[in-house]
Amino acid sequence: MHAFVFDQPAQRVIFGPGTLASLRDEITRLGVRRVVVITTPHEIRFAEDAAERLGDLSAGIYPEVAAQHVPVELLARAKARVDAIGADCYLAIGGGSTIGVAKAMALETGLPIVAVPTTYAGSEMTPIYGITEGGVKRTGRDRKVLPRTVIYDANLTLSLPPQISGPSGVNAMAHCVEALYAQDANPITSLVAEEGIRALARSLPTVVAEPGNLDARSDAQYGAWLGGAALGAVGMSLHHKLCHTLGGSFNLPHAETHAVILPHATAYNRQAAPEAMRRIAAALGGVDDAAEGLFDVIQRIGAPTALKDIGMPADGLDRAAELATQNPYYSPRPLEVQAVRGLLERAFQGTRPTLDGL
Ligand code: NAD
């Protein structure tokens, strides 16, 4: 076995349906007294419920996270309001967008975050933050933004409709796939990543077919946790870079972009990362090919499979290929503009990533 560094900061995780009932106890453990609940207008009912559970430990609700990727203007408004409330802790209830706003505030203030995720994006398990200014998203890592406590209560995900659940779950699966061929992968993160793919692949078809199935919801949350943990622990590669580029420069929706790109980014690295491919295929239930297996799962859960269906302009593919191969970064298969352009063409059309198609 090769030498490696495993550097995982501690987090407390409370897992299981009904665990939101422990919210006040968890806040008390942190020794804070003025919690502000951050959420979106759409998820305000969760925030009101949480504030009620907190009683005198709640200092107020900020329900105005109305955009993805933490636009700097939204952040300034949120920060002014939350500073005026005089909070000593952020309770983020929602998806990656809500948790992202709490992280960006914690980056400046160092206040602790308690996260109650309601999607499968996995942000609650990472020290990664992002802030968007002038259409450009700046990301970084800082342990200050890693939530101290995470409560996974699947009851809060029951209202997530299939068209959000499916792509969101694939977002978590993508963290696992790239962790398996990361330059700094280690045996522990690879175990986590493989198990994450397994949990998501077995749960997502039920989650979208029966949105009220609490067992499947809980299983998907377990997979999302593992996906976030893998993302937070090792470096990402071409897949995340492409999604970042397509989201930032072409304004494509975050989770849906992950769903379209994942089989194609996997196929790009097919020959260069055979051990990762073997583990992905095993986690998908022993399929013959990792990329095709991912394509099949994504199709089966009704998530989008073509960039042309989610708002990508055909004349943007050249620019996207150039942007995604700038500032070289690690990729098992070296980055070549023409090969990445071919990948994007197949993703644009929604072509099955067969072996002979490459
Ligand atoms: P999101 O937070 O924008 O939520 C997507 C939609 O789902 C919203 O309309 C929201 O109102 C709705 N929603 C959320 N929970 C719901 C529920 N329980 N029932 C019904 N509707 C619900 O999307 P997301 O995919 O969770 O997060 C995307 C953002 O997170 C992006 O900005 C992405 O860059 C970021 N992200 C960051 C990390 C990280 O480690 N920093 C990891 C993954 C994603």
Side-chain angles (χ1 to χ4, degrees), residues 40 42-43 46 68-69 95-97 103 118-119 121 123 126 128 137 156-157 159-161 164 175 231 254:
T40 66
H42 190 251
E43 275 68 63
F46 295 144
Q68 292 195 324
H69 307 305
S97 302
K103 284 178 159 181
T118 64
T119 68
S123 175
T126 84
I128 303 169
K137 187 167 176 180
L156 278 72
T157 63
S159 54
L160 206 56
I164 299 180
H175 307 331
L231 168 68
H254 181 78

Side-chain angles (χ1 to χ4, degrees), residues 39-43 45-46 65-71 93-100 103 116-130 132 137 139-141 145 154-161 164-165 167-169 171-172 175 217 227-228 231-232 240 244 253-256 258:
T39 195
T40 66
H42 190 251
E43 275 68 63
R45 67 195 183 286
F46 295 144
V65 179
Q68 292 195 324
H69 307 305
V70 193
I93 301 195
S97 302
T98 300
I99 295 168
K103 284 178 159 181
V116 182
T118 64
T119 68
Y120 306 123
S123 175
E124 64 282 354
M125 298 309 293
T126 84
I128 303 169
Y129 62 86
T132 303
K137 187 167 176 180
T139 60
R141 289 181 183 245
V145 312
N155 284 315
L156 278 72
T157 63
L158 292 175
S159 54
L160 206 56
I164 299 180
S165 296
S168 180
N171 188 184
H175 307 331
R217 289 286 192 181
L231 168 68
H240 281 76
H244 196 169
H254 181 78
E256 288 78 357
H258 275 270

Side-chain angles (χ1 to χ4, degrees), residues 71-89:
V72 71
E73 302 78 15
L74 187 155
L75 177 61
R77 280 197 304 278
K79 195 158 177 314
R81 179 77 193 103
V82 170
D83 284 353
I85 291 174
D88 64 3
C89 176

Side-chain angles (χ1 to χ4, degrees), residues 26-47:
E26 291 303 322
I27 293 292
T28 306
R29 277 179 80 98
L30 291 175
V32 294
R33 302 209 52 80
R34 291 189 59 75
V35 179
V36 67
V37 189
I38 298 163
T39 195
T40 66
H42 190 251
E43 275 68 63
I44 191 165
R45 67 195 183 286
F46 295 144

Side-chain angles (χ1 to χ4, degrees), residues 80-356:
R81 179 77 193 103
V82 170
D83 284 353
I85 291 174
D88 64 3
C89 176
Y90 308 124
L91 171 62
I93 301 195
S97 302
T98 300
I99 295 168
V101 169
K103 284 178 159 181
M105 288 198 282
L107 184 67
E108 274 186 48
T109 63
L111 292 181
I113 300 173
V114 173
V116 182
T118 64
T119 68
Y120 306 123
S123 175
E124 64 282 354
M125 298 309 293
T126 84
I128 303 169
Y129 62 86
I131 299 169
T132 303
E133 186 163 16
V136 179
K137 187 167 176 180
R138 171 174 65 88
T139 60
R141 289 181 183 245
D142 193 312
R143 286 196 178 184
K144 273 196 299 216
V145 312
L146 181 74
R148 298 277 184 87
T149 307
V150 179
I151 301 178
Y152 284 105
D153 183 339
N155 284 315
L156 278 72
T157 63
L158 292 175
S159 54
L160 206 56
Q163 67 273 19
I164 299 180
S165 296
S168 180
V170 180
N171 188 184
M173 213 183 253
H175 307 331
C176 298
V177 167
E178 291 235 289
L180 281 167
Y181 54 64
Q183 189 170 29
D184 51 354
N186 65 61
I188 317 300
T189 54
S190 296
L191 268 180
V192 164
E194 187 176 335
E195 173 69 356
I197 296 170
R198 187 169 290 114
L200 289 158
R202 76 177 167 232
S203 59
L204 290 177
T206 309
V207 160
V208 298
E210 300 167 37
N213 187 318
L214 197 56
D215 275 349
R217 289 286 192 181
S218 223
D219 208 13
Q221 271 195 322
Y222 167 64
W225 166 0
L226 299 179
L231 168 68
V234 295
M236 295 288 118
S237 188
L238 176 63
H239 170 83
H240 281 76
K241 178 70 176 190
L242 280 170
C243 293
H244 196 169
T245 303
L246 294 168
S249 303
F250 300 93
N251 207 22
L252 301 195
H254 181 78
E256 288 78 357
T257 307
H258 275 270
V260 174
I261 294 295
L262 186 60
H264 302 282
T266 307
Y268 186 91
N269 282 310
R270 192 184 256 139
Q271 313 294 347
E275 174 60 9
M277 297 300 137
R278 189 194 63 71
R279 295 185 76 155
I280 296 163
L284 293 174
V287 298
D288 290 338
D289 177 69
E292 290 192 62
L294 289 166
F295 188 81
D296 288 341
V297 172
I298 291 161
Q299 238 180 1
R300 187 164 162 217
I301 62 176
T305 54
L307 288 177
K308 65 179 171 24
D309 296 340
I310 60 168
M312 182 68 192
D315 62 4
L317 295 176
D318 287 338
R319 194 163 134 249
E322 268 158 36
L323 288 172
T325 48
Q326 277 172 1
N327 308 325
Y329 48 90
Y330 174 75
S331 168
R333 172 177 167 192
L335 298 170
E336 299 152 27
V337 184
Q338 273 320 307
V340 171
R341 175 67 176 78
L343 178 170
L344 284 169
E345 181 63 39
R346 288 184 288 279
F348 184 77
Q349 301 296 348
T351 314
R352 188 178 177 80
T354 51
L355 274 171
D356 55 359

